[in-house]
Amino acid sequence: MRILILGGTWFLGRAVALEALARGWEVTTFNRGRSGPDVPSVEAVHGDRTDLEDLVRLAGSGPWDAVIDTSSSALAPRAVLAGAAALEGVAGCYVYVSTVNAYRGWPSEPLTEDSEVLDGPPDADADYGRLPEGWDGPDWYYGRQKAGAERAALAAFGPGRTALLQPGVILGPGEYVGRLPWWLRRAERGGTILAPGFPERSIQPVDVRDVAVFALDQAAAATGGAYNVVAPAGRESMGGFLQACLQVTGDRVEGGGASELYGR
């Protein structure tokens, strides 16, 4: 397999590159070279994916069996559309990493791959979906942008050649948001810890390495489709998550054990 990763230097993109190399695949990465060092052994192409000339130059490095797009979280749908269109002729399929925020029912309703996706045209600019002044309803801006980007990928490659991955919370090595590191640092300090909700509250985080494996599996399958990439419902709980944090940092919480976090 020969793949192109849009991104490839940090968190998910880096995990995808490392896993692909471990499989013996040929890997090209495309990024601006600002977020981190290139993974050794990849063919690194530097450029701006919002620049058409850079995209044309990138396409000249093809062909690839698949493109895996891990770097479009801040891109407007029209930029995703332009990039996918530039690569359509030199790639077999397109794996687009989206988010569960693209669903209209997120986060208040149970979701499946058949749930309604928010409105968002494939050629929308960065202003599409911004909230009007005084709006007191749900903040769907990010979800609408990602929904539009999903449609952009589909418009360029077609349903049979486009895999849409919709993860929720991604945790693991290289995480830059700070969710897991915050809890690990807090557990390490010990003492009384204030915890949210209740111990049995279901959570569905997914390890970045598992997302990388799944993305590559979809690239190899090249069958398209939409997939919610989350832990199985009911398998993980907030209490279990905090207990794991305590165990790996020495379990110095007052009273000991996650149940004490909730006053039991």
Side-chain angles (χ1 to χ4, degrees):
M1 286 283 291
R2 189 166 190 258
I3 65 167
L4 167 65
I5 303 172
L6 301 181
T9 60
W10 68 334
F11 200 37
L12 178 57
R14 191 173 187 85
V16 171
L18 290 171
E19 174 63 24
L21 291 170
R23 296 185 182 197
W25 294 8
E26 294 182 41
V27 180
T28 302
T29 59
F30 179 69
N31 54 70
R32 294 177 296 176
R34 299 178 183 176
S35 298
D38 295 309
V39 174
S41 300
V42 306
E43 178 187 356
V45 179
H46 291 162
D48 189 334
R49 57 182 297 184
T50 64
D51 187 313
L52 183 57
E53 291 185 2
D54 285 355
L55 292 171
V56 171
R57 177 171 53 86
L58 171 63
S61 300
W64 299 278
D65 296 298
V67 177
I68 302 179
D69 187 349
T70 68
S71 69
S72 64
S73 61
L75 286 181
R78 65 171 53 175
V80 176
L81 179 61
L87 298 171
E88 186 274 331
V90 292
C93 67
Y94 197 95
V95 179
Y96 178 70
V97 181
S98 182
T99 170
V100 291
N101 293 69
Y103 289 114
R104 184 174 295 277
W106 175 258
S108 59
E109 300 175 9
L111 300 172
T112 72
E113 285 82 356
D114 295 323
S115 297
E116 181 184 2
V117 175
L118 287 164
D119 59 297
D123 59 349
D125 62 18
D127 289 326
Y128 184 85
R130 291 196 187 279
L131 302 176
E133 185 176 352
W135 174 260
D136 61 357
D139 186 352
W140 282 333
Y141 171 72
Y142 178 63
R144 282 172 165 163
Q145 288 280 308
K146 296 297 280 188
E150 289 184 6
R151 294 185 177 98
L154 288 166
F157 275 77
R161 297 169 61 202
T162 306
L164 302 175
L165 276 53
Q166 290 132 337
V169 174
I170 304 177
L171 303 178
E175 180 198 341
Y176 54 87
V177 175
R179 297 182 180 98
L180 179 57
W182 190 94
W183 283 108
L184 288 171
R185 287 192 293 266
R186 182 60 192 90
E188 187 177 33
R189 291 204 308 270
T192 300
I193 301 176
L194 180 65
F198 48 91
E200 297 81 12
R201 178 183 178 184
S202 178
I203 59 174
Q204 294 179 268
V206 61
D207 190 287
V208 65
R209 292 159 292 191
D210 291 334
V211 180
V213 167
F214 190 78
L216 292 172
D217 288 347
Q218 297 311 306
T223 54
Y227 306 91
N228 292 342
V229 189
V230 296
R235 191 185 73 181
E236 312 292 347
S237 67
M238 193 66 201
F241 168 76
L242 293 175
Q243 184 65 63
C245 290
L246 292 170
Q247 289 172 350
V248 301
T249 57
D251 200 359
R252 293 194 294 271
V253 67
E254 290 184 3
S259 62
E260 292 298 325
L261 302 176
Y262 294 90
R264 290 186 175 183

